[in-house]
Amino acid sequence: MLGEYRITGRRAAEISASIEGAVGDGTLKPGELLPPMRELAERLGVNPNTVAAAYRTLRERGVIETAGRRGSRVRPKPATTARELIRVEVPAGVRNLSEGNPDPALLPALAGAFAAAAEEGDREPVLYGHAPVEPGLARLARAELDADGVPDGTVAVTSGALDALERVLVAHLRPGDAVAVEDPGWGSLLDLVPALGLRVVPVGVDDEGPLPEDVRRALAGGARALVVTDRAQNPTGAAVSGARARVLRGVLAEYPETLLIEDDHGHHIVDLPLHALAGTTRSWAFVRSTAKAYGPDLRLAVLTGDAVTLDRVRGRQRLGPGWVSRIVQRAVVRLWSEGA
């Protein structure tokens, strides 16, 4: 247990910092077992409640996980661990599909789109106080959402799909709340949820999407949010069928206070029709990323949803990054317009 590393500190903040620092620099490895709280409290000469508070902080930060009598361990992918410390070494000649990267040979050229966007920026620079969303992008995105039956809602722009998912979850949930997610599911989302101090509730998946009875069980058990991948589910490739969508809408109608988040990252690369669930619950969000179709480095996703959710997300975004570069947005508009 812990090898040669000695946890230090007298206060909860000091103890949690000692553990978090060791996880961050790789001294404590993913999966490593931590001492029982009473044992560590005795070793440090502090009250067990102090250690309990430190462990609770680490759980909320996504550093450790607790499994009842099996104790507390460093998470397999703790939020504070540098990615290079937990990378899987892939043998030569083998494709690492877990990264979810598109084939670079199939991505469109970006030089022309960005040159045109930069020229437009030279003519009309974007300054503080300007609208955060490029009008042309909002218009094109909304038209495609309308064509796919996604309910009407304001369009926001985030730095990729995961940024959108994080902002929506934080806008509605508090540490300790449960989120129903697909199992197996997208690794980045499975890392993000506990890093926000939220609990993961697994929902099974088949070729037609999430299993309705698993969804019902998760929501009946107290899950406050459900995240669904509409098409090209990672890692199964599943797509929500029309029949499955009807059943899932029925389940969600039984729990109208559920926060529903749909990730349609397959937009523009998947030829299967979309069967959206949005609008079934009071709070909902629908996300479309440009990463797979146009390149991960564009870091742009379109987000729409109910009025309260979008207002909270845009308000918090205004106080942080402010907006996603309008030059990037204009380049995406050009790519969309030219059918790249």
Side-chain angles (χ1 to χ4, degrees), residues 44-122:
L44 298 176
V46 300
N47 190 296
N49 290 337
T50 302
V51 177
Y55 278 21
R56 182 170 59 251
T57 297
L58 292 168
R59 283 196 302 274
E60 291 177 353
R61 290 180 181 168
V63 179
I64 70 172
E65 58 187 10
T66 301
R69 294 181 179 180
R70 288 182 292 175
S72 298
R73 296 179 180 273
V74 179
R75 292 194 67 250
K77 285 191 176 182
T80 54
T81 299
R83 295 290 99 179
E84 62 269 16
L85 295 176
I86 53 179
R87 287 183 63 86
V88 175
E89 295 300 324
V90 179
V94 174
R95 292 183 185 272
N96 184 1
L97 299 183
S98 69
E99 293 179 342
N101 276 316
D103 185 343
L106 300 179
L107 295 175
L110 302 179
F114 271 91
E119 288 178 5
E120 187 175 349
D122 289 341

Side-chain angles (χ1 to χ4, degrees), residues 304-320:
T304 190
D306 69 274
V308 172
T309 296
L310 264 291
D311 186 57
R312 290 178 182 178
V313 168
R314 289 184 300 166
R316 184 63 184 86
Q317 187 182 38
R318 224 172 7 248
L319 298 174

Side-chain angles (χ1 to χ4, degrees), residues 150-165:
V150 179
D152 192 26
T154 302
V155 170
V157 177
T158 64
S159 296
L162 201 61
D163 180 42
L165 294 176

Side-chain angles (χ1 to χ4, degrees), residues 76-273:
K77 285 191 176 182
T80 54
T81 299
R83 295 290 99 179
E84 62 269 16
L85 295 176
I86 53 179
R87 287 183 63 86
V88 175
E89 295 300 324
V90 179
V94 174
R95 292 183 185 272
N96 184 1
L97 299 183
S98 69
E99 293 179 342
N101 276 316
D103 185 343
L106 300 179
L107 295 175
L110 302 179
F114 271 91
E119 288 178 5
E120 187 175 349
D122 289 341
R123 293 193 303 271
E124 186 183 345
V126 174
L127 303 175
Y128 295 113
H130 281 197
V133 179
E134 183 68 20
L137 186 141
R139 186 168 55 252
L140 289 174
R142 190 62 256 179
E144 292 195 334
L145 291 166
D146 291 341
D148 282 331
V150 179
D152 192 26
T154 302
V155 170
V157 177
T158 64
S159 296
L162 201 61
D163 180 42
L165 294 176
E166 177 177 4
R167 292 183 181 282
V168 173
L169 289 170
V170 170
H172 283 279
L173 306 184
R174 295 181 297 177
D177 286 343
V179 181
V181 298
E182 297 156 340
D183 178 26
W186 182 25
S188 295
L189 177 63
L190 296 176
D191 289 342
L192 173 66
V193 171
L196 297 176
L198 306 171
R199 294 185 292 113
V200 170
V201 177
V203 169
V205 180
D206 64 13
D207 288 344
E208 295 185 76
L211 301 176
E213 283 310 309
D214 282 16
V215 172
R216 179 178 279 109
R217 190 178 305 114
L219 299 184
R224 293 197 55 209
L226 170 67
V227 183
V228 175
T229 310
D230 290 309
R231 301 179 285 189
Q233 197 267 353
N234 183 343
T236 69
V240 177
S241 67
R244 180 61 54 81
R246 285 191 292 275
V247 178
L248 289 173
R249 289 190 201 105
V251 174
L252 288 167
E254 299 172 18
Y255 301 92
E257 299 304 317
T258 301
L259 169 62
L260 171 66
I261 305 176
E262 291 180 88
D263 179 8
D264 187 33
H265 76 99
H267 182 58
H268 279 178
I269 62 168
V270 177
D271 58 2
L272 296 172

